[in-house]
């Protein structure tokens, strides 16, 4: 009996301690309004004594809350962000993209002040090389065996000492404001030579075996130059299948519910209140959060818009006429009864916009028969849209095939839409293109 009482009072004591610890943890931790339950789950997970059971219970609550936010059937179920697959890969990718975006914004600011060069293309070159170096250095620090398919290579840069030192001057100082996050990326790159080595490590041939990252350090170079839309794009493929995708879009509005404006691609949006980080892990849903210099938060789930009348859909397309056939797009819009003007913007910001329901239909119809889309232009966006409840195929209705090298040579064009209207859009695309054969 004495042992029983002693045992019971020990349990009462343990339970009281646990309650006090939780109360203190909850009081000290700010709970963002958008994510209260997930935050509670993550706090509970760090409270000893209660361990994972309490945390799991909260995660279940959180998952059902996320589902109720779902506007279009996005895949937000599965595990809590805390127990996610590819958790480290996601964090490294998000932070690396955020750090590279700091550099691209700096390059743009210098260009705007006219201090970089009179030659139009040099800010792009500087931003591209610098961002690629920072991202690959972070990947290699954390996952030394992984390969990278990057858009740039440093051979010509090695012969241009001036340009190389300009890039190095920006790269060596680009860092996150959160010291622990910056440490996770391996801290600053050590030397100019290491920077060039990192750029060159983006030379993977791609393929169907192993862990390969696809990187576009600045997608949408023209948008970048005019202060419009561009994206820092990174995706991890395992055996040719995209598992993690991250898009840093420094000039998109932070607010997911802000509608796309017609001048999105042309207006200069490099200012406060802009900058969003989209991310997705296969089977875990897609998320967005403000693109900041600090630590990464869990963000919040995003989903494509549920379209009940396709005529109301917002269409997105490239700014560049050479990247996607605008004439075909217009005919397809007409067939679908869409009367709104298409929103033109550069880069994979189009995928991010569809994923959060700001845009609905992204069409990229081939202009040239022989053009092969590049995997770094699509890998992250493809996963983010699919995880947000969308469907992404080529003009023949086939999934994009990332497993055959640096290009999507098996596919022609891209159609990204909410899943429930994809068949309808695909049919319209087929009819318009068929009539031209
Ligand atoms: P966007 O900003 O969506 O127009 O796409 C930018 C990307 O288009 C660049 O990163 C290029 O790799 C790619 N690109 C270049 N030429 C073509 C082309 N002829 N057709 C489709 N994409 C292209
Ligand atoms: Mg690109």
């Amino acid at each position: 009996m004495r042992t029983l009482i002693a045992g019971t009072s020990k349990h009462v004591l343990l339970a009281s301690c646990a309650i006090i610890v939780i109360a203190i943890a909850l009081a000290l931790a700010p709970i963002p309004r958008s994510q209260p339950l997930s935050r509670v789950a993550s706090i509970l997970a760090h409270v000893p004594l209660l361990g994972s059971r309490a945390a799991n219970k909260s995660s279940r609550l959180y998952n059902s809350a996320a589902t109720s936010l779902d506007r279009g059937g996005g895949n937000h179920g599965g595990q809590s962000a805390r127990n996610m697959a590819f958790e480290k890969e996601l964090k490294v990718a998000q932070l690396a993209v955020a750090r590279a975006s700091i550099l691209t914004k700096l390059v743009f600011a210098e260009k705007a002040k006219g201090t970089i060069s009179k030659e139009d293309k040099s800010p792009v070159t500087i931003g591209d090389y610098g961002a690629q170096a920072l991202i690959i250095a972070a990947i290699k620090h954390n996952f030394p065996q992984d390969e990278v398919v990057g858009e740039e290579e440093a051979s010509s840069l090695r012969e241009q000492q001036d340009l190389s030192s300009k890039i190095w001057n920006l790269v060596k100082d680009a860092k996150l404001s959160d010291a622990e996050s910056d440490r996770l990326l391996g801290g600053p790159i050590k030397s100019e030579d290491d920077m060039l080595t990192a750029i060159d490590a983006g030379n993977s041939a791609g393929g169907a075996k192993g862990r390969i990252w696809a990187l576009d350090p600045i997608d949408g170079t023209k948008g970048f130059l005019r202060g419009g839309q561009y994206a820092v794009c990174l995706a991890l493929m395992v055996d040719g299948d995209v598992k993690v995708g991250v898009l840093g879009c420094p000039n998109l509005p932070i607010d997911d519910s802000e509608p796309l404006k017609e001048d999105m691609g042309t207006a200069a949006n490099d200012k406060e209140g802009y900058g969003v980080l989209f991310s997705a892990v296969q089977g875990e849903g897609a998320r967005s959060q403000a693109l900041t210099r600090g630590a990464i938060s869990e963000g919040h789930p995003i989903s494509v818009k549920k379209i009940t009348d396709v005529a109301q859909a917002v269409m997105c397309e490239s700014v560049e006429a050479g990247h996607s056939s605008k004439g075909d797009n217009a005919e397809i819009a007409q067939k679908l009864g869409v009367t709104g003007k298409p929103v033109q913007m550069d880069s994979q910001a189009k995928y991010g916009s569809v994923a959060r329901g700001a845009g609905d239909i992204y069409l990229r119809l081939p202009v040239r028969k022989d053009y092969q889309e590049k995997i770094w232009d699509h890998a992250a966006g493809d996963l983010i849209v699919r995880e947000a409840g969308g469907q992404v195929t080529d003009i023949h209705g086939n999934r994009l095939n990332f497993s055959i090298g640096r290009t999507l040579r098996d596919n022609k064009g891209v159609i990204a839409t909410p899943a429930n209207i994809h068949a309808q859009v695909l049919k319209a695309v087929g009819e318009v293109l068929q009539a031209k054969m």
Side-chain angles (χ1 to χ4, degrees):
M1 186 67 179
R2 277 204 16 220
T3 346
L4 191 66
I5 293 169
T8 311
S9 52
K10 209 160 132 195
H11 278 115
V12 170
L13 191 67
L14 280 172
S16 317
C17 287
I19 289 164
I20 292 166
V21 174
I22 295 164
I24 294 170
L26 288 174
L28 290 178
I31 300 176
R33 260 179 301 158
S34 58
Q35 292 287 295
L37 292 169
S38 69
R39 187 76 181 108
V40 171
S42 88
I43 292 164
L44 290 181
H46 292 98
V47 176
L49 294 178
L50 274 184
S52 57
R53 261 178 61 196
N56 285 341
K57 204 166 167 197
S58 271
S59 300
R60 282 203 299 276
L61 282 170
Y62 165 63
N63 283 336
S64 54
T67 312
S68 73
L69 282 175
D70 186 348
R71 286 179 292 152
N75 181 7
H76 304 140
Q79 309 157 42
S80 74
R82 205 173 46 82
N83 294 323
M84 238 167 41
F86 296 104
E87 195 171 1
K88 185 175 178 196
E89 287 82 351
L90 173 66
K91 192 164 185 190
V92 169
Q94 289 172 317
L95 289 170
V97 165
R99 185 170 73 166
S101 304
I102 295 171
L103 178 131
T104 60
K105 280 180 84 72
L106 201 68
V107 173
F108 180 77
E110 301 224 337
K111 171 200 168 270
K113 282 187 258 142
T115 51
I116 279 196
S117 160
K118 286 178 210 98
E119 205 192 319
D120 226 5
K121 283 212 162 132
S122 76
V124 173
T125 315
I126 292 171
D128 268 334
Y129 280 128
Q132 175 153 326
L134 285 167
I135 291 175
I136 295 185
I139 293 172
K140 288 288 177 186
H141 177 76
N142 285 281
F143 313 108
Q145 305 304 320
D146 289 7
E147 292 184 18
V148 185
V149 172
E151 197 180 359
E152 310 301 332
E153 45 110 3
S155 57
S156 63
L157 194 54
R158 287 180 198 278
E159 285 142 31
Q160 300 176 65
Q161 190 47 53
D162 260 17
L163 185 60
S164 177
S165 29
K166 243 180 220 166
I167 298 167
W168 172 239
N169 275 333
L170 291 165
V171 163
K172 70 180 172 31
D173 294 331
K175 64 169 190 234
L176 295 162
S177 58
D178 180 59
E180 198 188 319
S181 299
D182 208 65
R183 255 197 310 280
L184 179 67
L185 299 184
I189 296 177
K190 306 285 177 295
S191 66
E192 191 172 334
D193 202 49
D194 285 359
M195 174 187 83
L196 295 170
T197 306
I199 294 169
D200 274 338
N203 62 357
S204 166
K209 285 257 170 301
R211 290 171 47 109
I212 305 175
W213 297 78
L215 164 64
D216 192 344
I218 295 186
D219 181 34
T221 48
K222 296 227 168 109
F224 168 71
L225 282 171
R226 71 171 87 87
Q229 297 310 319
Y230 71 98
V232 179
C233 316
L234 183 61
L236 170 64
M237 302 171 302
V238 179
D239 298 335
D241 196 20
V242 186
K243 300 291 184 186
V244 178
V246 174
L247 289 177
C249 300
N251 294 342
L252 271 186
I254 295 171
D255 184 357
D256 291 325
S257 63
E258 195 167 319
L260 290 184
K261 293 191 218 80
E262 248 179 57
D263 66 350
M264 205 92 204
T266 42
N269 282 332
D270 191 290
K271 53 191 179 210
E272 287 304 304
Y274 290 81
V276 60
L277 187 67
F278 296 106
S279 49
V281 172
Q282 190 182 74
E284 311 273 356
R287 291 179 165 261
S288 103
Q289 61 189 275
L291 179 60
T292 72
R293 293 161 178 263
I296 291 297
S297 76
E298 277 188 17
H300 51 272
I302 51 168
S303 60
V304 296
K305 206 187 311 147
K306 189 120 194 145
I307 304 281
T308 45
D309 174 10
V310 76
Q312 302 301 316
V314 176
M315 297 188 58
C316 321
E317 62 185 16
S318 288
V319 175
E320 294 303 307
H323 294 175
S324 173
S325 168
K326 295 185 184 187
D328 291 344
N329 280 7
E331 283 182 48
I332 289 154
Q334 200 180 21
K335 225 176 219 312
L336 294 169
V338 176
T339 49
K341 270 195 170 173
V343 178
Q344 299 186 343
M345 59 171 104
D346 301 276
S347 85
Q348 289 187 59
K350 294 186 279 297
Y351 280 112
S353 298
V354 170
R356 64 174 170 174
D360 303 309
I361 300 176
Y362 166 23
L363 294 181
R364 189 179 190 88
L365 305 181
V367 175
R368 277 172 31 199
K369 275 210 172 104
D370 59 341
Y371 185 75
Q372 296 181 358
E373 297 283 348
K374 309 295 182 286
I375 63 168
W376 55 78
D377 283 334
H378 301 282
D382 171 80
L383 181 70
I384 290 168
V385 167
R386 288 187 296 106
E387 285 297 323
Q391 198 170 337
V392 184
T393 68
D394 68 3
I395 56 169
H396 303 298
N398 299 320
R399 281 272 308 274
L400 304 186
N401 182 358
F402 295 96
S403 71
I404 47 171
R406 291 171 71 92
T407 73
L408 296 169
R409 68 170 185 277
D410 273 2
N411 301 108
K412 277 283 167 263
V414 177
I415 303 171
T417 71
N420 71 317
I421 59 165
H422 190 274
Q424 198 180 349
V425 177
L426 181 64
K427 184 165 171 277
V429 169
E431 285 167 4
V432 167
L433 297 187
Q434 192 74 43
K436 305 197 164 186
M437 296 264 206

